Amino acid sequence: MTPEKAQVFGQSAGRAMAGAVSYIEEAHHCVAAYLFGATRSMPGSAPVRAAHDAIAGPAYGGVRAAFLATGWLVGGMASKVSALPATTKKRTNLAVAALNAAVGDQLCDANSTLAIRMALRSGGRDVRIRRDRLEAVYPEATPKLAVFLHGLGETENSWKLHADEHYQDATVTYGSRLAAAAGYTPLYLRYNTGLHISDNGKRLSDLLTAVVSAWPTPVEEIVIIAHSMGGLVARSACHYGEQTQEPWIPEVGHVFYLGAPHLGAPLERLTSYWTWALTKTELTRPMAALINRRSAGIKDLRFGYVVDDDWSDCDPDTYLKSHRHNLPLLSTANHYSISATITTGQRHPLGSIFGDLLVPPASANGRHPRNRHIPFEVDHRYHLGHSHHFDLLNHPAVYDAMEAWLQKQSPARDSDAALH
């Protein structure tokens, strides 16, 4: 994080805390109004209420001012730190990614410097998509690209998770292994996960068009490996790219969805139902308003929205039924669903309900008993037992499954070759 962004981060955190205090104050006044209304006939009620109002207002105002001042102070101190240790930089990057996950759409609307823009990442920096820059950053560029899309609140560094544990080498990832074993050039992206998934899908399509046009050598194959929300972004990008006949679409041979909530995430659905219930009483309405400030990207995870039409005609804070359109998978590519459960098997009662603690296997595999089914082929599914959602980011067994699939011939590509 740059000193300028560190300063903005501190100030934004202060404003966010001050805003939260305002919601708490509103809830306090609702409770107080109810209590004083119930006791207004009691002797001495009026003076007590007057004293309460005289004290509460300045007290909350003082707390807000303190948070704002602390934010400015922390931000100012952080901006003076010109050289941060690598571990601190990683933590601040995760903090900014988490902030974007929570309110990234609002940061984007406000043109905040903290709003993450979708970009290729290498060496901790954004990569400008120009031929000369790509040649410099990827001196051994190959015609085979492996594009990595992280999930909600993650960064390109998330793909290194557990590398020390699995390989005794912190640099080993799916990308490094694909480069060594099959000659793929790994491309890591970072994006604002607080935006609508469909917004990120369009941005990804535009970015891949630019990459293919400026790549140092003609692109012959693209593999997309996407974790969690990234899988929905990949589907969205394929849809919009196919609609506008972007040049990268014909090169996509394989798409791997790692714990992607194709049919939605139960935790977000539970949150939406809970906040909807909170809006029904005056006392809890301020709390609902505070919770409903979460980003459009998070709300899209409720039912797995991937295109504008899924969300454009409904209020996400009141519409509790799925408004999702059935979107076909890109027909010219092979698609693979990879799920995880905390139990050994995905049919275990606990495994089928809790899945990997965030996404159940039915959602990851696109299986619905009545409708909204996503047609993943049976032999294009893989299950990782005794694991949680983030284990899918870097696990030897998952890599072995992907490599085995890649080694098989692609029927779609074989038939295309036969036509030529």
Side-chain angles (χ1 to χ4, degrees):
M1 186 188 297
T2 64
E4 293 78 12
K5 285 190 175 182
Q7 184 173 24
V8 174
F9 184 84
Q11 295 167 2
S12 297
R15 286 194 294 270
M17 293 301 297
V21 170
S22 295
Y23 283 103
I24 295 172
E25 180 183 15
E26 185 179 348
H28 179 149
H29 283 307
C30 287
V31 174
Y34 175 80
L35 293 176
F36 283 123
T39 60
R40 63 177 177 272
S41 61
M42 297 178 61
S45 174
V48 171
R49 180 167 189 172
H52 166 271
D53 293 344
I55 295 172
Y60 279 110
V63 174
R64 274 193 297 272
F67 276 124
L68 289 171
T70 301
W72 278 89
L73 179 61
V74 171
M77 292 175 63
S79 69
K80 304 300 181 183
V81 181
S82 58
L84 295 173
T87 53
T88 304
K89 288 182 179 179
K90 288 182 180 179
R91 290 170 184 166
T92 54
N93 282 335
L94 282 174
V96 173
L99 180 67
N100 275 258
V103 292
D105 52 343
Q106 300 168 46
L107 294 174
C108 189
D109 290 343
N111 292 319
S112 171
T113 58
L114 289 174
I116 296 172
R117 68 182 186 89
M118 181 175 286
L120 289 182
R121 298 280 294 181
S122 179
R125 297 175 180 272
D126 289 355
V127 179
R128 294 189 65 184
I129 303 178
R130 297 187 331 200
R131 183 175 291 269
D132 59 335
R133 290 301 305 144
L134 294 176
E135 288 175 343
V137 175
Y138 305 100
E140 299 179 358
T142 68
K144 299 166 62 177
L145 307 182
V147 179
F148 289 87
L149 297 172
H150 61 70
L152 179 70
E154 299 170 2
T155 72
E156 71 280 4
N157 294 317
S158 300
W159 297 102
K160 299 178 181 178
L161 188 68
H162 301 318
D164 279 327
E165 175 185 343
H166 293 312
Y167 307 107
Q168 293 73 52
D169 183 346
T171 65
V172 177
T173 62
Y174 296 148
S176 67
R177 297 191 68 184
L178 284 173
Y184 287 94
T185 300
L187 301 182
Y188 296 96
L189 277 69
R190 184 185 294 188
Y191 64 98
N192 181 345
T193 56
L195 298 179
H196 275 296
I197 288 168
S198 56
D199 288 341
N200 277 319
K202 296 171 189 174
R203 294 171 191 233
L204 175 59
S205 180
D206 291 342
L207 183 144
L208 290 178
T209 294
V211 168
V212 168
S213 300
W215 196 246
T217 184
V219 175
E220 298 176 359
E221 181 184 357
I222 296 175
V223 169
I224 299 176
I225 301 172
H227 180 245
S228 194
M229 175 190 279
L232 304 185
V233 173
R235 286 178 53 210
S236 179
C238 288
H239 169 75
Y240 287 116
E242 190 173 32
Q243 278 192 330
T244 54
Q245 298 182 334
E246 300 299 331
W248 62 273
I249 288 289
E251 311 310 327
V252 179
H254 306 271
V255 186
F256 297 94
Y257 305 94
L258 281 56
H262 294 292
L263 304 184
L267 183 59
E268 168 54 21
R269 282 200 293 273
L270 180 62
T271 300
S272 66
Y273 297 147
W274 183 49
T275 52
W276 175 82
L278 291 175
T279 63
K280 298 307 174 182
T281 68
E282 186 177 354
L283 295 179
T284 56
R285 203 164 289 134
M287 184 182 299
L290 178 60
I291 298 171
N292 277 332
R293 294 185 67 185
R294 67 195 185 281
S295 70
I298 291 177
K299 293 175 182 177
D300 281 348
L301 293 175
R302 188 180 312 167
F303 297 112
Y305 290 164
V306 296
V307 293
D308 292 345
D309 290 342
D310 288 338
W311 55 264
S312 58
D313 293 329
C314 63
D315 181 352
D317 297 334
T318 60
Y319 206 93
L320 303 183
K321 294 183 179 180
S322 175
H323 197 237
R324 186 175 70 82
H325 294 70
N326 288 323
L327 191 71
L329 299 173
L330 181 64
S331 61
T332 54
N334 293 303
H335 301 265
Y336 312 88
S337 67
I338 299 176
S339 62
T341 58
I342 55 175
T343 57
T344 302
Q346 54 186 322
R347 294 186 178 180
H348 188 286
L350 290 179
S352 63
I353 295 172
F354 295 105
D356 60 15
L357 298 180
L358 288 177
V359 178
S363 184
N365 293 322
R367 291 184 287 106
H368 193 278
R370 294 180 300 277
N371 53 33
R372 300 186 299 152
H373 183 73
I374 298 175
F376 288 108
E377 297 179 20
V378 174
D379 59 351
H380 283 189
R381 299 174 188 165
Y382 177 79
H383 169 252
L384 182 67
H386 282 304
S387 301
H388 58 71
H389 190 63
F390 300 102
D391 285 334
L392 295 171
L393 283 161
N394 194 12
H395 196 284
V398 173
Y399 174 80
D400 290 343
M402 292 192 294
E403 185 180 38
W405 278 322
L406 286 173
Q407 287 177 349
K408 294 182 180 179
Q409 292 185 349
S410 167
R413 288 188 167 267
D414 285 348
S415 52
D416 287 344
L419 292 175
H420 294 85

PDB file of all heavy atoms in Angstrom, residues 268-287:
ATOM      1  N   GLU A 268     -24.989 -15.802   2.686  1.00  0.00           N
ATOM      2  CA  GLU A 268     -25.551 -14.537   2.213  1.00  0.00           C
ATOM      3  C   GLU A 268     -27.074 -14.602   2.199  1.00  0.00           C
ATOM      4  O   GLU A 268     -27.738 -13.607   2.515  1.00  0.00           O
ATOM      5  CB  GLU A 268     -25.002 -14.198   0.823  1.00  0.00           C
ATOM      6  CG  GLU A 268     -25.719 -13.070   0.107  1.00  0.00           C
ATOM      7  CD  GLU A 268     -25.815 -11.778   0.894  1.00  0.00           C
ATOM      8  OE1 GLU A 268     -25.018 -11.559   1.827  1.00  0.00           O
ATOM      9  OE2 GLU A 268     -26.709 -10.976   0.579  1.00  0.00           O
ATOM     10  N   ARG A 269     -27.648 -15.746   1.850  1.00  0.00           N
ATOM     11  CA  ARG A 269     -29.106 -15.870   1.896  1.00  0.00           C
ATOM     12  C   ARG A 269     -29.617 -15.706   3.325  1.00  0.00           C
ATOM     13  O   ARG A 269     -30.622 -15.034   3.564  1.00  0.00           O
ATOM     14  CB  ARG A 269     -29.546 -17.219   1.324  1.00  0.00           C
ATOM     15  CG  ARG A 269     -29.520 -17.273  -0.194  1.00  0.00           C
ATOM     16  CD  ARG A 269     -30.401 -18.392  -0.724  1.00  0.00           C
ATOM     17  NE  ARG A 269     -29.880 -19.700  -0.380  1.00  0.00           N
ATOM     18  CZ  ARG A 269     -28.987 -20.355  -1.102  1.00  0.00           C
ATOM     19  NH1 ARG A 269     -28.489 -19.812  -2.207  1.00  0.00           N
ATOM     20  NH2 ARG A 269     -28.572 -21.556  -0.744  1.00  0.00           N
ATOM     21  N   LEU A 270     -28.919 -16.338   4.268  1.00  0.00           N
ATOM     22  CA  LEU A 270     -29.313 -16.225   5.669  1.00  0.00           C
ATOM     23  C   LEU A 270     -29.229 -14.775   6.137  1.00  0.00           C
ATOM     24  O   LEU A 270     -30.122 -14.275   6.836  1.00  0.00           O
ATOM     25  CB  LEU A 270     -28.420 -17.118   6.535  1.00  0.00           C
ATOM     26  CG  LEU A 270     -28.699 -17.120   8.039  1.00  0.00           C
ATOM     27  CD1 LEU A 270     -30.100 -17.648   8.321  1.00  0.00           C
ATOM     28  CD2 LEU A 270     -27.655 -17.975   8.775  1.00  0.00           C
ATOM     29  N   THR A 271     -28.155 -14.092   5.729  1.00  0.00           N
ATOM     30  CA  THR A 271     -28.000 -12.688   6.104  1.00  0.00           C
ATOM     31  C   THR A 271     -29.127 -11.842   5.531  1.00  0.00           C
ATOM     32  O   THR A 271     -29.676 -10.961   6.207  1.00  0.00           O
ATOM     33  CB  THR A 271     -26.647 -12.151   5.596  1.00  0.00           C
ATOM     34  OG1 THR A 271     -25.585 -12.919   6.170  1.00  0.00           O
ATOM     35  CG2 THR A 271     -26.459 -10.686   5.975  1.00  0.00           C
ATOM     36  N   SER A 272     -29.502 -12.105   4.289  1.00  0.00           N
ATOM     37  CA  SER A 272     -30.563 -11.316   3.655  1.00  0.00           C
ATOM     38  C   SER A 272     -31.908 -11.556   4.338  1.00  0.00           C
ATOM     39  O   SER A 272     -32.678 -10.609   4.546  1.00  0.00           O
ATOM     40  CB  SER A 272     -30.649 -11.647   2.168  1.00  0.00           C
ATOM     41  OG  SER A 272     -31.062 -12.984   1.963  1.00  0.00           O
ATOM     42  N   TYR A 273     -32.201 -12.795   4.697  1.00  0.00           N
ATOM     43  CA  TYR A 273     -33.464 -13.082   5.387  1.00  0.00           C
ATOM     44  C   TYR A 273     -33.486 -12.412   6.760  1.00  0.00           C
ATOM     45  O   TYR A 273     -34.503 -11.867   7.191  1.00  0.00           O
ATOM     46  CB  TYR A 273     -33.653 -14.593   5.550  1.00  0.00           C
ATOM     47  CG  TYR A 273     -33.765 -15.352   4.256  1.00  0.00           C
ATOM     48  CD1 TYR A 273     -33.279 -16.648   4.130  1.00  0.00           C
ATOM     49  CD2 TYR A 273     -34.374 -14.776   3.132  1.00  0.00           C
ATOM     50  CE1 TYR A 273     -33.383 -17.347   2.939  1.00  0.00           C
ATOM     51  CE2 TYR A 273     -34.473 -15.465   1.933  1.00  0.00           C
ATOM     52  CZ  TYR A 273     -33.976 -16.744   1.844  1.00  0.00           C
ATOM     53  OH  TYR A 273     -34.068 -17.441   0.657  1.00  0.00           O
ATOM     54  N   TRP A 274     -32.339 -12.476   7.431  1.00  0.00           N
ATOM     55  CA  TRP A 274     -32.245 -11.908   8.774  1.00  0.00           C
ATOM     56  C   TRP A 274     -32.435 -10.397   8.736  1.00  0.00           C
ATOM     57  O   TRP A 274     -33.188  -9.832   9.537  1.00  0.00           O
ATOM     58  CB  TRP A 274     -30.885 -12.281   9.379  1.00  0.00           C
ATOM     59  CG  TRP A 274     -30.685 -11.814  10.777  1.00  0.00           C
ATOM     60  CD1 TRP A 274     -31.545 -11.961  11.827  1.00  0.00           C
ATOM     61  CD2 TRP A 274     -29.547 -11.124  11.294  1.00  0.00           C
ATOM     62  NE1 TRP A 274     -31.009 -11.410  12.965  1.00  0.00           N
ATOM     63  CE2 TRP A 274     -29.788 -10.891  12.664  1.00  0.00           C
ATOM     64  CE3 TRP A 274     -28.343 -10.702  10.734  1.00  0.00           C
ATOM     65  CZ2 TRP A 274     -28.866 -10.233  13.472  1.00  0.00           C
ATOM     66  CZ3 TRP A 274     -27.424 -10.058  11.545  1.00  0.00           C
ATOM     67  CH2 TRP A 274     -27.685  -9.822  12.894  1.00  0.00           C
ATOM     68  N   THR A 275     -31.754  -9.734   7.810  1.00  0.00           N
ATOM     69  CA  THR A 275     -31.877  -8.279   7.734  1.00  0.00           C
ATOM     70  C   THR A 275     -33.281  -7.874   7.285  1.00  0.00           C
ATOM     71  O   THR A 275     -33.805  -6.843   7.723  1.00  0.00           O
ATOM     72  CB  THR A 275     -30.834  -7.679   6.782  1.00  0.00           C
ATOM     73  OG1 THR A 275     -30.885  -8.356   5.520  1.00  0.00           O
ATOM     74  CG2 THR A 275     -29.435  -7.808   7.348  1.00  0.00           C
ATOM     75  N   TRP A 276     -33.892  -8.680   6.403  1.00  0.00           N
ATOM     76  CA  TRP A 276     -35.270  -8.391   6.001  1.00  0.00           C
ATOM     77  C   TRP A 276     -36.195  -8.426   7.213  1.00  0.00           C
ATOM     78  O   TRP A 276     -37.066  -7.564   7.380  1.00  0.00           O
ATOM     79  CB  TRP A 276     -35.721  -9.413   4.958  1.00  0.00           C
ATOM     80  CG  TRP A 276     -37.167  -9.268   4.565  1.00  0.00           C
ATOM     81  CD1 TRP A 276     -37.704  -8.398   3.666  1.00  0.00           C
ATOM     82  CD2 TRP A 276     -38.261 -10.036   5.075  1.00  0.00           C
ATOM     83  NE1 TRP A 276     -39.064  -8.566   3.576  1.00  0.00           N
ATOM     84  CE2 TRP A 276     -39.433  -9.572   4.439  1.00  0.00           C
ATOM     85  CE3 TRP A 276     -38.359 -11.080   6.009  1.00  0.00           C
ATOM     86  CZ2 TRP A 276     -40.691 -10.105   4.709  1.00  0.00           C
ATOM     87  CZ3 TRP A 276     -39.613 -11.613   6.274  1.00  0.00           C
ATOM     88  CH2 TRP A 276     -40.756 -11.129   5.625  1.00  0.00           C
ATOM     89  N   ALA A 277     -35.980  -9.405   8.091  1.00  0.00           N
ATOM     90  CA  ALA A 277     -36.791  -9.491   9.309  1.00  0.00           C
ATOM     91  C   ALA A 277     -36.547  -8.292  10.215  1.00  0.00           C
ATOM     92  O   ALA A 277     -37.477  -7.775  10.848  1.00  0.00           O
ATOM     93  CB  ALA A 277     -36.489 -10.795  10.050  1.00  0.00           C
ATOM     94  N   LEU A 278     -35.297  -7.819  10.269  1.00  0.00           N
ATOM     95  CA  LEU A 278     -34.974  -6.674  11.119  1.00  0.00           C
ATOM     96  C   LEU A 278     -35.639  -5.388  10.647  1.00  0.00           C
ATOM     97  O   LEU A 278     -35.840  -4.464  11.439  1.00  0.00           O
ATOM     98  CB  LEU A 278     -33.455  -6.479  11.177  1.00  0.00           C
ATOM     99  CG  LEU A 278     -32.653  -7.549  11.922  1.00  0.00           C
ATOM    100  CD1 LEU A 278     -31.155  -7.277  11.789  1.00  0.00           C
ATOM    101  CD2 LEU A 278     -33.050  -7.611  13.389  1.00  0.00           C
ATOM    102  N   THR A 279     -35.960  -5.311   9.347  1.00  0.00           N
ATOM    103  CA  THR A 279     -36.602  -4.098   8.842  1.00  0.00           C
ATOM    104  C   THR A 279     -38.059  -3.994   9.267  1.00  0.00           C
ATOM    105  O   THR A 279     -38.682  -2.945   9.064  1.00  0.00           O
ATOM    106  CB  THR A 279     -36.546  -4.048   7.299  1.00  0.00           C
ATOM    107  OG1 THR A 279     -37.291  -5.145   6.753  1.00  0.00           O
ATOM    108  CG2 THR A 279     -35.107  -4.092   6.800  1.00  0.00           C
ATOM    109  N   LYS A 280     -38.625  -5.043   9.852  1.00  0.00           N
ATOM    110  CA  LYS A 280     -40.048  -5.070  10.153  1.00  0.00           C
ATOM    111  C   LYS A 280     -40.409  -4.365  11.455  1.00  0.00           C
ATOM    112  O   LYS A 280     -41.592  -4.163  11.736  1.00  0.00           O
ATOM    113  CB  LYS A 280     -40.547  -6.523  10.197  1.00  0.00           C
ATOM    114  CG  LYS A 280     -40.381  -7.260   8.867  1.00  0.00           C
ATOM    115  CD  LYS A 280     -41.016  -6.483   7.726  1.00  0.00           C
ATOM    116  CE  LYS A 280     -40.749  -7.104   6.379  1.00  0.00           C
ATOM    117  NZ  LYS A 280     -41.320  -6.314   5.264  1.00  0.00           N
ATOM    118  N   THR A 281     -39.429  -4.014  12.263  1.00  0.00           N
ATOM    119  CA  THR A 281     -39.717  -3.276  13.491  1.00  0.00           C
ATOM    120  C   THR A 281     -38.889  -2.003  13.543  1.00  0.00           C
ATOM    121  O   THR A 281     -37.759  -1.956  13.042  1.00  0.00           O
ATOM    122  CB  THR A 281     -39.410  -4.115  14.742  1.00  0.00           C
ATOM    123  OG1 THR A 281     -37.992  -4.314  14.852  1.00  0.00           O
ATOM    124  CG2 THR A 281     -40.106  -5.471  14.679  1.00  0.00           C
ATOM    125  N   GLU A 282     -39.448  -0.984  14.125  1.00  0.00           N
ATOM    126  CA  GLU A 282     -38.760   0.302  14.188  1.00  0.00           C
ATOM    127  C   GLU A 282     -37.485   0.216  14.998  1.00  0.00           C
ATOM    128  O   GLU A 282     -36.485   0.882  14.695  1.00  0.00           O
ATOM    129  CB  GLU A 282     -39.700   1.351  14.786  1.00  0.00           C
ATOM    130  CG  GLU A 282     -39.136   2.762  14.775  1.00  0.00           C
ATOM    131  CD  GLU A 282     -40.118   3.787  15.310  1.00  0.00           C
ATOM    132  OE1 GLU A 282     -41.275   3.408  15.576  1.00  0.00           O
ATOM    133  OE2 GLU A 282     -39.716   4.949  15.468  1.00  0.00           O
ATOM    134  N   LEU A 283     -37.496  -0.644  16.019  1.00  0.00           N
ATOM    135  CA  LEU A 283     -36.341  -0.736  16.908  1.00  0.00           C
ATOM    136  C   LEU A 283     -35.123  -1.340  16.207  1.00  0.00           C
ATOM    137  O   LEU A 283     -33.989  -0.976  16.494  1.00  0.00           O
ATOM    138  CB  LEU A 283     -36.686  -1.572  18.147  1.00  0.00           C
ATOM    139  CG  LEU A 283     -37.753  -0.994  19.083  1.00  0.00           C
ATOM    140  CD1 LEU A 283     -37.989  -1.935  20.244  1.00  0.00           C
ATOM    141  CD2 LEU A 283     -37.327   0.381  19.592  1.00  0.00           C
ATOM    142  N   THR A 284     -35.367  -2.293  15.302  1.00  0.00           N
ATOM    143  CA  THR A 284     -34.237  -3.001  14.666  1.00  0.00           C
ATOM    144  C   THR A 284     -33.926  -2.486  13.270  1.00  0.00           C
ATOM    145  O   THR A 284     -32.966  -2.930  12.655  1.00  0.00           O
ATOM    146  CB  THR A 284     -34.544  -4.508  14.591  1.00  0.00           C
ATOM    147  OG1 THR A 284     -35.775  -4.706  13.887  1.00  0.00           O
ATOM    148  CG2 THR A 284     -34.665  -5.105  15.985  1.00  0.00           C
ATOM    149  N   ARG A 285     -34.731  -1.540  12.757  1.00  0.00           N
ATOM    150  CA  ARG A 285     -34.515  -1.050  11.397  1.00  0.00           C
ATOM    151  C   ARG A 285     -33.136  -0.414  11.205  1.00  0.00           C
ATOM    152  O   ARG A 285     -32.503  -0.606  10.157  1.00  0.00           O
ATOM    153  CB  ARG A 285     -35.620  -0.065  11.036  1.00  0.00           C
ATOM    154  CG  ARG A 285     -35.847   0.083   9.535  1.00  0.00           C
ATOM    155  CD  ARG A 285     -37.171   0.745   9.255  1.00  0.00           C
ATOM    156  NE  ARG A 285     -38.295  -0.126   9.567  1.00  0.00           N
ATOM    157  CZ  ARG A 285     -39.377   0.255  10.241  1.00  0.00           C
ATOM    158  NH1 ARG A 285     -39.484   1.499  10.673  1.00  0.00           N
ATOM    159  NH2 ARG A 285     -40.354  -0.602  10.454  1.00  0.00           N
ATOM    160  N   PRO A 286     -32.621   0.356  12.171  1.00  0.00           N
ATOM    161  CA  PRO A 286     -31.263   0.914  11.986  1.00  0.00           C
ATOM    162  C   PRO A 286     -30.199  -0.164  11.841  1.00  0.00           C
ATOM    163  O   PRO A 286     -29.255  -0.004  11.063  1.00  0.00           O
ATOM    164  CB  PRO A 286     -31.058   1.746  13.255  1.00  0.00           C
ATOM    165  CG  PRO A 286     -32.433   2.092  13.713  1.00  0.00           C
ATOM    166  CD  PRO A 286     -33.276   0.894  13.381  1.00  0.00           C
ATOM    167  N   MET A 287     -30.344  -1.260  12.581  1.00  0.00           N
ATOM    168  CA  MET A 287     -29.374  -2.354  12.460  1.00  0.00           C
ATOM    169  C   MET A 287     -29.448  -2.968  11.069  1.00  0.00           C
ATOM    170  O   MET A 287     -28.425  -3.272  10.442  1.00  0.00           O
ATOM    171  CB  MET A 287     -29.626  -3.420  13.523  1.00  0.00           C
ATOM    172  CG  MET A 287     -28.607  -4.548  13.530  1.00  0.00           C
ATOM    173  SD  MET A 287     -28.984  -5.813  14.776  1.00  0.00           S
ATOM    174  CE  MET A 287     -28.886  -4.830  16.272  1.00  0.00           C
TER     175      MET A 287
END
